[in-house]
């Protein structure tokens, strides 16, 4: 449903004829960043994150934001390496997962 509604707004990374990752942002918020498991999150993910941050900065925002959950250690570590720090924690009400959501923020200079 999300991809059907918003897919035209995604920025894709392609290797040969395969889509290996994508990123989607709205305003200052990175909605989604995914990299196929056969490819490097550190390499492809960083390219995608850099693109989103550059566009967010171009739009005039001073910071980029994203969310992850407390059990997604890979995403937390990747986001930390990209310069994001925790700004808040709150219960996941969107998916009713009983997990805590972490809001991560990175100043864009």
């Amino acid at each position: 449903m999300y991809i059907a509604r918003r897919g035209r707004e995604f920025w894709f990374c392609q290797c040969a004829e395969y889509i290996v990752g994508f990123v989607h942002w709205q305003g200052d918020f990175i909605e989604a960043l995914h990299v196929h498991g056969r490819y490097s999150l550190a390499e492809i993910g960083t390219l995608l994150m850099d693109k989103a941050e550059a566009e967010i900065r171009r739009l005039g925002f001073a910071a980029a934001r994203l969310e992850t959950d407390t059990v997604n250690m890979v995403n937390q570590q990747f986001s930390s390496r990209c310069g994001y720090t925790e700004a808040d924690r709150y219960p996941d009400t969107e998916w009713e997962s009983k997990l805590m959501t972490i809001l991560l923020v990175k100043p864009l200079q």
Side-chain angles (χ1 to χ4, degrees):
M1 189 73 158
Y2 172 69
I3 293 175
R5 281 192 337 254
R6 300 289 190 177
R8 287 183 167 86
E9 301 168 6
F10 291 11
W11 196 80
F12 293 94
C13 185
Q14 185 173 334
C15 290
E17 69 270 14
Y18 301 104
I19 292 173
V20 299
F22 67 86
V23 65
H24 175 236
W25 64 91
Q26 289 186 308
D28 69 340
F29 194 81
I30 299 172
E31 298 280 348
L33 188 150
H34 295 281
V35 175
H36 189 283
R38 296 174 85 185
Y39 296 87
S40 168
L41 178 61
E43 293 176 23
I44 303 297
T46 299
L47 290 172
L48 293 167
M49 186 71 83
D50 288 349
K51 173 62 175 175
E53 291 171 359
E55 291 299 314
I56 290 168
R57 185 181 307 106
R58 187 184 65 75
L59 291 171
F61 293 99
R65 301 176 305 127
L66 59 89
E67 291 176 331
T68 191
D69 60 56
T70 51
V71 298
N72 192 338
M73 298 307 294
V74 170
N75 194 15
Q76 289 177 53
Q77 291 168 355
F78 172 73
S79 299
S80 178
R81 283 193 310 271
C82 290
Y84 286 79
T85 58
E86 184 175 330
D88 200 4
R89 283 182 186 232
Y90 35 86
D92 170 22
T93 56
E94 182 179 0
W95 300 100
E96 300 177 8
S97 67
K98 299 185 180 165
L99 297 173
M100 292 296 287
T101 297
I102 303 171
L103 174 65
L104 301 167
V105 177
K106 176 182 178 179
L108 302 174
Q109 302 178 28

